[in-house]
């Protein structure tokens, strides 16, 4: 299996956010990495939204 084709900066960032050693991340199967990124995205979007939906700036201007 060949290493993932991502930049070093992206690999370091993902490694820190996922809590996975860099060596493991680089040899992780792509489908598993995508699944972990999706889970991370869900975790990050849930607390930020706080149950409220954001109103686009154009909608705020109309009010």
């Amino acid at each position: 299996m060949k290493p993932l084709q991502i930049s070093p900066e992206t690999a370091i960032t993902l490694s820190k956010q996922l809590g996975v050693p860099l060596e493991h991340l680089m040899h992780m199967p792509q489908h598993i990495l995508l699944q972990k990124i999706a889970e991370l995205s869900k975790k990050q979007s849930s607390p930020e939204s706080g149950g409220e939906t954001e109103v686009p700036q154009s909608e705020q201007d109309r009010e």
Side-chain angles (χ1 to χ4, degrees):
M1 182 184 321
K2 68 179 184 176
L4 295 171
Q5 300 296 311
I6 56 177
S7 71
E9 295 83 12
T10 301
I12 292 169
T13 303
L14 284 173
S15 174
K16 288 178 183 178
Q17 290 184 350
L18 294 173
V20 176
L22 189 58
E23 296 80 17
H24 292 188
L25 178 80
M26 292 307 294
H27 294 285
M28 186 179 292
Q30 188 174 5
H31 68 281
I32 294 176
L33 178 61
L34 291 174
Q35 180 182 4
K36 289 186 177 286
I37 291 172
E39 291 172 3
L40 181 65
S41 177
K42 282 183 183 179
K43 287 180 186 178
Q44 287 181 346
S45 65
S46 296
E48 291 176 3
S49 65
E52 299 178 14
T53 57
E54 291 185 25
V55 178
Q57 187 64 33
S58 60
E59 293 292 326
Q60 291 176 356
D61 292 341
R62 293 181 193 165
E63 294 177 357

